[in-house]
Amino acid sequence: MKKGDLLIIGGNEDKNGELLILEKFSSLCKNRTGPIGILTTASGFPEEVGNEYKQIFSQLHGEEPILFHLDTREKAEQVDIPERLSELSGLFMTGGDQLRLTSLLGGTTFYKHLIRNWHNGMMVGGTSAGAAVMSRLMIISSKTIKNAEASILEMGSGFGFLEDVIIDQHFSQRDRFSRLMRAIALNPQIIGVGIDENTAIWVQNNGEFFEVIGEYNVSIFDGKKSTYVDIAEKSNKNMTISDIRFHTLGDGAIFDLQKRELKLP
Amino acid sequence: MKKGDLLIIGGNEDKNGELLILEKFSSLCKNRTGPIGILTTASGFPEEVGNEYKQIFSQLHGEEPILFHLDTREKAEQVDIPERLSELSGLFMTGGDQLRLTSLLGGTTFYKHLIRNWHNGMMVGGTSAGAAVMSRLMIISSKTIKNAEASILEMGSGFGFLEDVIIDQHFSQRDRFSRLMRAIALNPQIIGVGIDENTAIWVQNNGEFFEVIGEYNVSIFDGKKSTYVDIAEKSNKNMTISDIRFHTLGDGAIFDLQKRELKLP
């Protein structure tokens, strides 16, 4: 059985123009039967955000989407959750705060059945917070004072759709270079993936590779072959890390997550 | 004959506390006889800036510094320039606008004799604009709208103390990651060196290697072994570059500019 593909969006995807990325999600969901589910747990404005995506996906996909407004752990344990999830062709996670996703849903019936359905081929998409939560290790937040000193980085457990990756979003637009570098210095076995706004990675074939879709870039930091890291002895602002492999990828580029290299066109 | 060392400062170096970096410049100048020269050409406030450094260096160095207020090409051709330069142990270039340095001094008697004296061992230091001008290829300016799209990058000729390097300053503090990446995508044979504020590189042994001094980091981008670059076909916001080697270096780290690798401690 093949796992579902993932569409991981760096936030602020186009919702009025060409809808390139949301149209991609919708068309990938058409590979299965059933409606698209919209999970609004990350958002502080679940009604507004949910209705906006509902309108978009009902136009793009044809079928009426199903909203999951799960803002308590109790709601994530409701007895009809397994059945409602099993009917979906795909689940889309909105933006907001990724810590709401993991703290309200982690370990619940909703989470377990989401993973189960994904293992059976259900598509999963997410934007912004819904992108950050995709990896096993997740960036929760960082102090982003305009100063190299100020990378206090909170990390925690995400939903684990991707194992050896850490996702950061709004990457160029919010200048998150230092914060992702620090995450990789702390976890050099993991690939850092910084996704720009209105840009996404489409993860395929059981997580073997992804393709970049959208307007801007995806930045990759690979610390696996780094030859020297002294972050344990030095502060963040004065650490030394040698031989990080870096890639910046535009629309259409395909990156092999196993070999950790660009698939040349 | 050995060329003079270089002290290239990312701007905003401490002038009231420990004076770590300016003290380093002063003590390196003591390897030769003669006063320190202060070149204020980059600055729009040459009197204020010049007097501030004059006060600092006269305290640190003991000898009264000599100010070079050269704000026209005519002044850079004055007949006493060769003699005034030949007396110096080192020359310090203040911040301001690097284009003032190259447009007012390029090709003049001052420039020619600066290079001649440096070839004979005179120390040269510079901060901010005075750092940017050190390399053969120099970043003049870029539009830094908060958007991955907006890297319009002007480059020109610097003073050429370093050949295969491009310097960027205020690196972490002004989020110049995208701009230096673009410069390297356009010139993959060159090493991009991003120097943070109150941080410097001390280039030694005819440019063979440098040591990092100061509070923050130095970021290195090496595109020489990149396997794929499509900037000629794609726009900056959507380009693909693979296999940039990246290093971030803290105080005391030594980087070999010939081998392009960290000298392990």
Side-chain angles (χ1 to χ4, degrees):
Chain A
M1 194 54 137
K2 223 166 100 178
K3 288 176 195 163
D5 286 357
L6 306 170
L7 194 71
I8 309 179
I9 310 166
N12 204 20
E13 71 283 355
D14 170 37
K15 296 181 194 71
N16 309 300
E18 283 188 282
L19 302 163
L20 181 75
I21 291 171
L22 296 178
E23 162 58 33
K24 186 75 193 178
F25 181 75
S26 169
S27 75
L28 288 169
C29 286
K30 285 181 183 160
N31 292 331
R32 284 162 69 97
T33 58
I36 291 172
I38 297 167
L39 178 69
T40 61
T41 301
S43 177
F45 311 94
E47 298 291 340
E48 294 89 318
V49 170
N51 286 335
E52 186 177 21
Y53 281 109
K54 190 175 176 181
Q55 209 170 358
I56 291 169
F57 284 132
S58 77
Q59 287 209 325
L60 293 174
H61 188 255
E63 203 162 347
E64 184 84 340
I66 294 177
L67 286 167
F68 287 80
H69 289 316
L70 307 177
D71 55 2
T72 63
R73 289 184 67 86
E74 205 185 344
K75 286 184 191 166
E77 299 289 358
Q78 285 162 340
V79 289
D80 62 340
I81 288 277
E83 197 191 328
R84 287 168 67 201
L85 271 171
S86 69
E87 287 167 1
L88 303 178
S89 57
L91 184 82
F92 187 87
M93 301 185 287
T94 71
D97 178 354
Q98 52 263 43
L99 195 51
R100 283 179 57 86
L101 283 166
T102 55
S103 60
L104 292 173
L105 302 180
T108 62
T109 299
F110 178 88
Y111 175 73
K112 285 177 202 158
H113 283 265
L114 168 58
I115 297 296
R116 189 171 299 172
N117 283 287
W118 170 63
H119 271 277
N120 290 330
M122 187 181 81
M123 179 82 200
V124 180
T127 185
S128 192
V133 80
M134 291 277 191
S135 49
R136 176 71 59 201
L137 186 66
M138 172 179 96
I139 295 178
I140 296 171
S141 68
S142 66
K143 299 258 180 198
T144 49
I145 302 161
K146 282 272 168 211
N147 192 311
E149 192 165 4
S151 295
I152 298 160
L153 188 62
E154 274 195 302
M155 288 190 277
S157 285
F159 280 177
F161 295 109
L162 284 171
E163 286 295 337
D164 292 326
V165 163
I166 194 160
I167 303 284
D168 210 348
Q169 348 84 39
H170 307 280
F171 189 72
S172 297
Q173 289 76 16
R174 297 192 188 167
D175 292 314
R176 285 177 162 170
F177 170 70
S178 301
R179 123 171 172 173
L180 191 53
M181 262 308 299
R182 179 165 171 83
I184 294 311
L186 293 166
N187 306 278
Q189 78 285 7
I190 278 175
I191 300 179
V193 178
I195 309 176
D196 287 353
E197 294 183 356
N198 199 26
T199 306
I201 64 170
W202 169 24
V203 182
Q204 300 166 61
N205 207 21
N206 284 318
E208 186 196 332
F209 64 90
F210 66 74
E211 180 176 342
V212 175
I213 294 169
E215 193 178 1
Y216 297 108
N217 281 116
V218 171
S219 299
I220 308 282
F221 298 81
D222 178 7
K224 204 173 188 177
K225 291 186 182 158
S226 64
T227 47
Y228 182 80
V229 179
D230 68 0
I231 195 169
E233 295 91 47
K234 296 278 187 75
S235 75
N236 178 45
K237 68 173 185 173
N238 217 335
M239 67 184 175
T240 292
I241 316 171
S242 187
D243 287 306
I244 299 282
R245 204 152 299 186
F246 177 78
H247 316 263
T248 182
L249 309 175
D251 184 78
I254 294 177
F255 190 81
D256 188 319
L257 282 165
Q258 313 305 315
K259 295 184 185 157
R260 299 186 168 205
E261 62 187 31
L262 182 71
K263 283 196 177 190
L264 291 175
Chain B
M1 193 53 138
K2 222 167 102 179
K3 289 176 194 162
D5 287 355
L6 306 170
L7 193 71
I8 309 179
I9 310 166
N12 204 20
E13 71 283 355
D14 170 38
K15 297 182 194 71
N16 308 300
E18 283 187 283
L19 302 162
L20 181 75
I21 291 170
L22 297 178
E23 161 60 33
K24 185 76 194 177
F25 181 76
S26 169
S27 75
L28 288 169
C29 286
K30 286 181 186 162
N31 292 331
R32 282 163 69 95
T33 58
I36 291 172
I38 298 167
L39 178 69
T40 61
T41 302
S43 178
F45 312 94
E47 297 290 340
E48 295 90 317
V49 170
N51 286 334
E52 185 177 22
Y53 282 109
K54 190 175 176 181
Q55 206 169 2
I56 291 169
F57 285 132
S58 78
Q59 287 211 323
L60 293 174
H61 189 256
E63 202 161 347
E64 184 84 340
I66 295 176
L67 286 166
F68 288 80
H69 289 315
L70 308 177
D71 55 3
T72 62
R73 288 185 67 84
E74 203 184 343
K75 287 186 191 165
E77 300 289 358
Q78 286 163 340
V79 289
D80 61 343
I81 288 278
E83 196 191 330
R84 287 168 67 201
L85 271 172
S86 69
E87 287 167 1
L88 303 178
S89 56
L91 183 82
F92 186 87
M93 301 184 286
T94 71
D97 178 354
Q98 53 263 41
L99 195 52
R100 282 180 57 88
L101 283 166
T102 55
S103 61
L104 292 173
L105 302 180
T108 62
T109 300
F110 179 87
Y111 175 74
K112 285 176 202 158
H113 283 263
L114 168 58
I115 297 297
R116 189 172 300 173
N117 283 287
W118 169 64
H119 272 277
N120 290 330
M122 188 181 78
M123 178 82 200
V124 180
T127 186
S128 192
V133 81
M134 291 276 191
S135 49
R136 176 70 60 202
L137 186 67
M138 171 181 96
I139 295 178
I140 296 170
S141 69
S142 65
K143 299 258 181 196
T144 48
I145 303 161
K146 282 271 166 212
N147 191 311
E149 192 165 4
S151 294
I152 298 160
L153 187 63
E154 273 195 302
M155 287 190 280
S157 286
F159 279 177
F161 296 107
L162 284 171
E163 286 295 338
D164 292 325
V165 164
I166 194 160
I167 303 283
D168 209 350
Q169 349 83 38
H170 306 281
F171 189 72
S172 298
Q173 289 76 16
R174 297 190 188 170
D175 292 312
R176 284 175 163 172
F177 170 70
S178 301
R179 123 172 172 172
L180 191 53
M181 262 309 298
R182 179 166 171 82
I184 295 310
L186 293 166
N187 305 280
Q189 79 285 7
I190 277 176
I191 300 179
V193 178
I195 308 177
D196 287 353
E197 294 182 355
N198 199 26
T199 306
I201 64 171
W202 169 23
V203 182
Q204 300 167 59
N205 207 21
N206 284 319
E208 185 197 334
F209 63 90
F210 67 75
E211 179 177 341
V212 176
I213 293 169
E215 193 179 1
Y216 297 109
N217 281 115
V218 172
S219 299
I220 309 282
F221 298 81
D222 178 7
K224 203 174 189 177
K225 292 186 181 157
S226 63
T227 47
Y228 182 80
V229 179
D230 67 1
I231 197 168
E233 295 91 46
K234 297 278 187 75
S235 75
N236 178 45
K237 68 173 184 172
N238 217 334
M239 67 183 175
T240 293
I241 316 170
S242 188
D243 287 306
I244 299 283
R245 203 153 298 185
F246 176 78
H247 316 263
T248 182
L249 309 175
D251 183 78
I254 294 176
F255 190 81
D256 187 319
L257 281 164
Q258 312 306 315
K259 296 184 185 156
R260 298 185 169 208
E261 62 188 30
L262 182 71
K263 284 196 175 190
L264 290 176

